[in-house]
């Protein structure tokens, strides 16, 4: 769909291709009426083959557009044109958490714990707000976390998993979510609830705090099976300098049984507040620009 560059979708002039995923292409566009740049996520055409897709798309996009939180990407618009379903969001000039963690890994470095805890808290606040409005993310992962140059942490892609549920794409046996961050219940084909998001957030914290994912394997299915069946490698065995208080949060968030996790993500956020974590100051300073390496310039 790179031939969309130069075309107009609704009120938006597409000017640059930013990236792609299994579900959509992402573009930078310009909205002349408001003199602003926006990001447009155009879903792949085969996603719309299910006859109920349009109704589900409109319903979920409307729900996500109603979310108003500083740590959630703002959705401005959603529509369909020439068979292309698209969502229009605020344009955020910053790297993904995924790209920053990959750069650190290549240098053999870890994210400072203070930064890891701040990012986890901010993503947790976004999830707590969404859960309070009846929306479960179902695909929390570093690729869906954007880091603004100002230091603001933004969670993206709310509603996409729900929009795609029931499509032929998922009916073939593919589960929704990303194997490395997927909860055991999602790995077994269950839809999951807010506690599934807590598990995925726990995987992210494990990765940021230790420098590696808890489970790895040669195939996505093998990773899923490890989440379902294998004991969690203890975080302090990977990173001996990790405070026990942080390890306890990770262990509770990553319990195989959802009933053994935090009941609400707000409880996990509270457990990670400065002053409750060993070695962390009792008061939280104002957010600073991320210490993650900058993302390479986009083509």
């Amino acid at each position: 769909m790179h031939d969309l560059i130069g075309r107009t979708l609704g009120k938006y002039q597409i000017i640059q291709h930013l990236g792609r995923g299994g579900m959509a292409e992402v573009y930078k566009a310009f909205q002349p009426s408001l003199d602003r740049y926006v990001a447009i996520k155009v879903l792949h055409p085969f996603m719309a083959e299910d006859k109920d897709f349009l109704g589900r798309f409109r319903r979920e996009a409307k729900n996500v557009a109603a979310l108003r939180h500083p740590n959630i990407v703002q959705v401005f618009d959603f529509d369909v044109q020439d068979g292309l379903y698209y969502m229009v969001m605020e344009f955020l000039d910053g790297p993904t958490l995924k790209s920053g963690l990959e750069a650190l890994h290549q240098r053999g470095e870890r994210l400072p714990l203070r930064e890891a805890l701040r990012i986890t808290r901010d993503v947790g606040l976004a999830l707590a707000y969404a859960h309070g409005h009846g929306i479960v993310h179902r695909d929390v992962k570093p690729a869906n976390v954007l880091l603004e140059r100002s230091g603001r942490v933004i969670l993206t892609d709310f509603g996409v998993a729900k929009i795609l549920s029931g499509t032929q794409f998922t009916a073939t046996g593919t589960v929704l979510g990303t194997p490395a961050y997927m909860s055991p219940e999602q790995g077994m084909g269950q839809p999951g609830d807010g506690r599934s998001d807590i598990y995925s957030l726990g995987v992210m914290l494990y990765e940021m705090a230790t420098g590696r994912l808890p489970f790895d394997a040669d195939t996505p299915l093998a990773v899923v099976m490890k989440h379902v069946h294998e004991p969690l490698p203890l975080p302090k065995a990977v990173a001996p300098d990790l405070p026990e208080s942080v390890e306890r949060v990770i262990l509770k968030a990553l319990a195989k049984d959802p009933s053994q996790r935090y009941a609400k993500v707000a409880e996990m956020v509270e457990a990670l507040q400065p002053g409750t974590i060993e070695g962390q100051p009792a008061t939280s300073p104002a957010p600073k620009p991320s210490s993650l390496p900058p993302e390479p310039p986009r083509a």
Side-chain angles (χ1 to χ4, degrees), residues 257-278:
D257 182 350
S259 68
Q260 300 302 310
R261 297 174 205 150
Y262 294 100
K264 295 184 179 297
V265 70
E267 297 175 10
M268 181 177 175
V269 172
E270 180 61 31
L272 293 173
Q273 289 297 333
T276 63
I277 297 296
E278 301 166 18

Side-chain angles (χ1 to χ4, degrees), residues 23 27 41 44 110 171 204 259 286 288:
M23 296 176 263
Y27 297 90
K41 185 180 292 286
H44 294 310
R110 271 191 285 154
M204 276 182 41
S259 68
K288 295 181 180 180

Side-chain angles (χ1 to χ4, degrees), residues 12 18 24-31 36-43 61 64-65 72-79 85-92 144 146 152 154-160:
Y12 313 99
L18 298 178
E25 302 279 349
V26 184
Y27 297 90
K28 181 179 180 180
F30 183 68
Q31 183 179 1
R36 69 178 178 186
Y37 290 108
V38 297
I40 295 186
K41 185 180 292 286
V42 183
L43 300 183
V64 174
I72 294 177
V73 67
Q74 180 63 57
V75 174
F76 298 136
D77 196 7
F78 54 92
D79 209 342
Y85 295 83
Y86 63 92
M87 300 177 68
V88 183
M89 301 161 286
E90 62 178 317
F91 177 73
L92 300 168
N144 285 336
L146 294 175
R152 187 165 68 112
I154 306 100
L155 184 59
T156 71
D157 271 9
F158 273 96
V160 171

Side-chain angles (χ1 to χ4, degrees), residues 188-251:
M188 292 187 291
Q190 301 170 16
D193 55 22
R195 295 169 299 179
S196 301
D197 284 347
I198 290 172
Y199 186 95
S200 298
L201 183 60
V203 176
M204 276 182 41
L205 177 56
Y206 187 111
E207 181 181 15
M208 289 188 288
T210 68
R212 52 166 275 189
L213 287 163
F215 298 112
D216 194 13
D218 293 334
T219 67
L221 180 59
V223 174
V224 170
M225 290 298 98
K226 285 188 174 183
H227 278 287
V228 173
H229 298 295
E230 287 199 5
L232 179 73
L234 291 177
K236 281 184 67 65
V238 181
D241 59 337
L242 189 69
E244 289 185 4
S245 52
V246 176
E247 183 179 61
R248 286 196 298 269
V249 172
I250 294 173
L251 293 178

